[in-house]
Amino acid sequence: MRLVMLGAPGAGKGTQADRLAERYGVPHVSTGDLFRAHFRQNTELGQTARRYMQEGHLVPDDVTEAMVWQRLGEADAHRGYILDGFPRTLPQAEHFDAALSAANWRLSGVFHVEVDRAVLQSRLTGRRSCPECKATYHVQFDPPSVADVCDQCGARLVQREDDRPETVAKRLTVYHTETEPLVQYYARQGLLRTIDGNQSMDEVTASLTEQLALIGLAHD
Ligand code: AMP
C-alpha cells in the first residue's frame, strides 16, 4: 500500500492517515511531523525548515525530497506507507514519480480530501496539540476534558507556531497556488479519488475505507 493524502492544511489528512496506518500496519509519513522532529532535535535541517515553516512558506524541494526518500528507505516502510503532506509541489510530484519508477514501485492511490476554506480556517486556528504524546484537539470541536491539558498524558497543550491566524492565511494561499495543481496531475494518471472532508472524522474514515476497497485494498 503506497498512498498519498492530498488536501489543504486542516483538511484532516493527518488524523485520517493515522487511522489508516494503524488499521493497515504501515507507517504514516508526515513531512510536517518529520520537520518538527528535526527542529525539536535541533538538527541543521530542522533549523533550516523552521525558518520557512514559521512564515507559512514551503521548505525547498531538494531539502524535503532528500528527507522523504531517506524515511521511505527505512525498514518499516517496505510494506508501504501513507504519505501526508508530500508531494506538495509539481516538481516534488515529478521527482517522486521518477524515484518510484526507478525503484520499480508505483502508487496505489491518491486521496484528495476536499474541505471548504472557511472550515479549514477555523479547524487550523482552533487546533491544539500535545507536545509530549502528539495527541491533537480542537478548542471547539474536540476539546480536552480540562482546558489546555492533554487527556492522555496530562501535558499542557500548545498551539503550533504556524497555526496562528496570520500564518494560516498564508499557508492556505500557498496550498492553492503550489499544491492544488497536483489534483489534476494525479487525476491525469488515473490515481485520484476525491473524499468529502467536510463530513465528521468517522464519516471521512468510512469513505476512505470504501474507496480503498474499490482499489482492492480492503483490510482483514
Ligand atoms: P503540515 O504539518 O503538513 O501542515 O506542514 C507544516 C509545514 O511544513 C508546511 O507549512 C511547510 O512549511 C512544511 N512542509 C511540510 N511538507 C512539505 C513539503 N512536502 N514541501 C515543502 N514544505 C513542507
Side-chain angles (χ1 to χ4, degrees):
M1 169 186 270
R2 294 188 189 88
L3 295 181
V4 168
M5 303 291 287
L6 199 59
K13 306 183 296 293
T15 306
Q16 298 299 334
D18 261 344
R19 291 182 174 194
L20 295 181
E22 190 175 334
R23 188 176 290 181
Y24 289 87
V26 294
H28 164 198
V29 176
S30 151
T31 38
D33 286 349
L34 290 174
F35 285 134
R36 284 183 286 276
H38 271 280
F39 71 64
R40 274 197 306 277
Q41 290 154 16
N42 214 9
T43 67
E44 203 175 310
L45 171 72
Q47 294 304 316
T48 307
R50 189 177 195 174
R51 287 198 295 276
Y52 293 94
M53 293 166 78
Q54 276 176 330
E55 302 294 320
H57 294 300
L58 295 182
V59 179
D61 288 340
D62 55 343
V63 176
T64 308
E65 285 158 358
M67 179 183 72
V68 170
W69 204 245
Q70 187 190 13
R71 174 67 187 89
L72 299 186
E74 289 174 19
D76 65 337
H78 285 172
R79 288 185 52 235
Y81 41 77
I82 301 174
L83 277 170
D84 157 20
F86 181 89
R88 223 168 172 119
T89 64
L90 268 179
Q92 285 180 14
E94 285 163 357
H95 184 267
F96 186 44
D97 270 350
L100 284 171
S101 317
N104 242 333
W105 286 342
R106 69 181 300 279
L107 287 175
S108 324
V110 175
F111 288 108
H112 175 210
V113 184
E114 228 177 0
V115 177
D116 299 338
R117 186 167 171 135
V119 176
L120 293 171
Q121 190 102 23
S122 76
R123 278 193 191 170
L124 288 166
T125 51
R127 181 159 73 177
R128 298 291 181 273
S129 56
C130 174
E132 299 298 328
C133 75
K134 309 287 166 276
T136 55
Y137 300 88
H138 188 282
V139 290
Q140 189 185 348
F141 309 127
D142 183 22
S145 338
V146 177
D148 292 331
V149 176
C150 180
D151 285 344
Q152 293 185 26
C153 73
R156 183 145 292 271
L157 302 180
V158 294
Q159 180 174 40
R160 266 171 54 174
E161 284 175 331
D162 58 351
D163 278 347
R164 305 208 174 111
E166 352 35 287
T167 319
V168 161
K170 175 76 191 158
R171 286 164 68 205
L172 292 176
T173 304
V174 168
Y175 175 75
H176 181 63
T177 53
E178 302 286 333
T179 311
E180 230 161 39
L182 297 186
V183 171
Q184 280 310 313
Y185 176 84
Y186 285 120
R188 277 197 299 273
Q189 294 189 22
L191 287 170
L192 193 83
R193 309 225 152 216
T194 302
I195 305 287
D196 177 5
N198 296 299
Q199 307 175 92
S200 72
M201 286 195 288
D202 289 346
E203 285 167 335
V204 175
T205 308
S207 305
L208 284 165
T209 310
E210 249 169 56
Q211 296 279 342
L212 280 167
L214 291 176
I215 55 174
L217 289 169
H219 79 104
D220 323 317

